[in-house]
Amino acid sequence: MSLAVIAAGLALGLAAIGAGIGNGLVVGRTIEGIARQPEMRGMLQTQMFIGLALVEALPVIALVFGMIFYFTK
């Protein structure tokens, strides 16, 4: 049981770190793009939100795997 708790914690922790780094990169590059070409703001923001949704899927998937690790014997 203790290894399952460690595995679940590692899965969620690493997913949170990865999502934080990914969100920072996506938003940072979007801001750079808007600073270079302000007329593309709408398109860049749309693509940013799609990218953020894809990056945020990682912690949700990790949560599912963490629950599987924790609740299976």
Side-chain angles (χ1 to χ4, degrees), residues 10-72:
L10 278 174
L12 292 173
L14 292 175
I17 291 170
I21 292 170
N23 285 341
L25 289 174
V26 169
V27 173
R29 299 296 164 96
T30 301
I31 291 171
E32 281 182 24
I34 292 172
R36 289 176 189 247
Q37 291 185 336
E39 66 274 2
M40 297 293 291
R41 180 179 181 175
M43 183 185 295
L44 289 173
Q45 280 185 339
T46 302
Q47 291 178 356
M48 177 191 72
F49 288 130
I50 292 170
L52 288 177
L54 293 174
V55 169
E56 286 299 322
L58 176 69
V60 174
I61 293 169
L63 176 65
V64 171
F65 276 109
M67 292 174 74
I68 290 171
F69 292 152
Y70 185 73
F71 289 115
T72 58

